[in-house]
Amino acid sequence: MASKIVRIKASPSIALVKYWGKSNVEYNLPATSSLAITVTGLFTEAQIEECDSEDKLTIDGLEVPPQRHRPFFDSVRSNLGVNICYRAQAQNNFPSSAGLASSSSVYAALAEGCSVLTGKQPDRKQISRLARMGSASAARSVWGGFSVLRAGSEHADPMLSENYWPDLRLLVAITSRSRKPVYSRDAMLHVAETSPYYKSWVVVAEENFRRAIQCVRERNLQLLGGQMRASYMRMFGTMFAADPPINYLKPQSLKVIETIENLRLSGINAWETMDAGPQVKIACLVKDVGQIRAALEKKANLGPHNLIETKPGPGPIILG
Ligand code: PMV
C-alpha cells in the first residue's frame, strides 16, 4: 500500500488554571475547567503515516505502550470514519514526561495529522475532541493563544488570540530533565480515589477558573497571578493528601518558588505555576524578564539554557 505521510508542528498548552481529575474516565472528560496558553518556543514535530499493520507511536525514539495510545487511534478511526492504522513518530524540543505538557503537543499534532490524512476537513472542535482522547490538555493545544476546556466538555474552545496580550510572557524554569515517576493520568485517578481533598478541589476549582477568565480579559496579571497560585497549590494539596501521597516537587522547584515570592515582595509582577512535574512556569511582563532571569540564575542556580522564554503562540502547523 502506498502510504500517505504528513508532518505537523504543535506546541504545549500550559494551564494557568488547572484541569485535574476526570468526570468520565473512559472518555477522558475533565472534572475541572482549565484556562491555558499554547506557547511558542516549545514544540513537538510529528510525522504521521497511514499503515496497514498496527498502530505504532514513538516519542523521542521511545515506543509508547499500545494501551496508552489505543483510545486515541480507536477514536480517530470511529470519528473520522476510516479503517486504517497509523505509524507516528514525535520529537519534542524539550524534556518529555517531565511536567511540560508534552502529551498536549504530541496528541494535538497527531489529531491534526490524522485529520489531514483523511483528505476531509473536520472542524477544529472535532480535532480538539480527538486530541482529548490522547490527553485532555491536548484538546486545548489544538487552538493557539488562550483556550479553555470546560469541566465535562468533549472539546476545548478558543478564548483569545495569541496577540491579545502582547507583553505577557511565560518563563519556563527547567529544574530537572528526568521523566516523572507517575503519569498525570495515573496520578489523577489515584488522587480521586484516595485524597480526602479531591471533592472540595473539584468545587473550588470552578471559582478559580471563572475569576481567571475575567483577569485575562482585563489583562490584569496581578489578579490573575493570585488565581494561578491558588489553582496549582490546591491541585498539589490534593496530591499531598492522597494515600500514598504524590510529590512532584524537587528542591530546586522550591528554590524557584521562593525566588519568585521574593521578587513579588520587591514589587515585580511575577507569578509561578506548576503541573504534574518539577518544572516551574512564571507568568510575567516582558519588561521584567531580564530581572527575573538574573534572580533565578543567582538564587536558584538555573543556567540560561534552563530558562526558556515563551509567550502565547499559534496552534498546530502543517509542515508538509
Ligand atoms: O492532559 P494530561 O493528562 O497530560 O493532564 C494535564 C494535567 C495538568 O498539566 C496538571 C493540568 C493541565 O490543565 O494541563
Side-chain angles (χ1 to χ4, degrees), residues 13-22 28 32-36 68 99-104 132 134-140 149 180 183-186 188 235-236 239 248 274-277 281:
S13 165
I14 309 277
L16 306 176
V17 170
K18 309 295 171 184
Y19 128 67
W20 187 251
K22 320 258 183 208
N28 206 24
T32 63
S33 302
S34 53
L35 158 63
R68 296 203 80 85
L100 286 174
S102 57
S103 57
S104 65
R132 190 201 78 244
S135 150
S137 53
R140 300 183 313 234
L149 174 61
K180 56 189 169 197
Y183 284 115
S184 40
R185 179 179 288 237
D186 302 333
M188 284 180 209
M235 175 181 82
F236 271 55
M239 297 187 226
Y248 287 113
M274 293 182 70
D275 290 279
K281 299 101 189 178

Side-chain angles (χ1 to χ4, degrees), residues 14-21 32-35 99 140 170-171 173 175 191 195 197 201-202 204-209 212 223-241 246-262 264 270-283 296:
I14 309 277
L16 306 176
V17 170
K18 309 295 171 184
Y19 128 67
W20 187 251
T32 63
S33 302
S34 53
L35 158 63
R140 300 183 313 234
L170 203 66
L171 204 53
T175 61
V191 161
S195 176
Y197 297 171
W201 150 258
V202 171
V204 295
E206 290 312 301
E207 184 64 12
N208 277 145
F209 173 73
L223 291 183
L224 174 64
Q227 298 305 319
M228 287 170 55
R229 183 175 57 186
S231 178
Y232 91 90
M233 285 283 187
R234 288 170 180 174
M235 175 181 82
F236 271 55
T238 66
M239 297 187 226
F240 293 144
I246 296 173
N247 177 21
Y248 287 113
L249 287 166
K250 295 265 190 221
Q252 210 178 9
S253 325
L254 291 170
K255 269 272 165 228
V256 173
I257 294 173
E258 189 187 19
T259 307
I260 299 301
E261 266 168 11
N262 287 335
R264 273 202 300 276
W271 297 88
E272 81 285 353
T273 184
M274 293 182 70
D275 290 279
Q279 328 302 355
V280 188
K281 299 101 189 178
I282 301 129
L296 289 172

Side-chain angles (χ1 to χ4, degrees), residues 14-198:
I14 309 277
L16 306 176
V17 170
K18 309 295 171 184
Y19 128 67
W20 187 251
K22 320 258 183 208
S23 67
N24 182 309
V25 175
E26 188 187 351
Y27 292 105
N28 206 24
L29 300 177
T32 63
S33 302
S34 53
L35 158 63
I37 301 175
T38 302
V39 296
T40 56
L42 307 179
F43 57 83
T44 298
E45 273 189 24
Q47 175 171 299
I48 302 118
E49 66 186 301
E50 295 180 340
C51 71
D52 49 12
S53 47
E54 57 191 27
D55 300 322
K56 191 172 161 185
L57 168 62
T58 59
I59 302 180
D60 292 340
L62 289 177
E63 196 166 331
V64 175
Q67 69 272 19
R68 296 203 80 85
H69 61 62
R70 190 171 297 125
F72 170 77
F73 287 120
D74 283 351
S75 144
V76 165
R77 280 183 281 274
S78 61
N79 284 286
L80 297 181
V82 289
N83 188 12
I84 195 95
C85 290
Y86 295 93
R87 191 160 300 162
Q89 292 160 20
Q91 200 70 39
N92 297 322
N93 78 334
F94 58 96
S96 301
S97 293
L100 286 174
S102 57
S103 57
S104 65
S105 47
V106 166
Y107 282 103
L110 296 189
E112 187 79 38
C114 294
S115 304
V116 169
L117 287 175
T118 61
K120 302 173 198 160
Q121 280 197 322
D123 69 20
R124 300 219 64 71
K125 285 190 179 159
Q126 181 163 10
I127 299 176
S128 176
R129 263 184 223 111
L130 292 177
R132 190 201 78 244
M133 288 305 288
S135 150
S137 53
R140 300 183 313 234
S141 272
V142 158
W143 306 101
F146 298 82
S147 64
V148 296
L149 174 61
R150 291 175 196 279
S153 179
E154 291 185 8
H155 60 80
D157 292 293
M159 181 188 161
L160 291 163
S161 91
E162 63 203 82
N163 304 315
Y164 183 76
W165 195 342
D167 55 349
L168 182 70
R169 293 292 179 273
L170 203 66
L171 204 53
V172 176
I174 300 186
T175 61
S176 162
R177 289 177 184 263
S178 324
R179 296 177 81 80
K180 56 189 169 197
V182 191
Y183 284 115
S184 40
R185 179 179 288 237
D186 302 333
M188 284 180 209
L189 297 180
H190 174 68
V191 161
E193 271 167 26
T194 68
S195 176
Y197 297 171
Y198 177 72

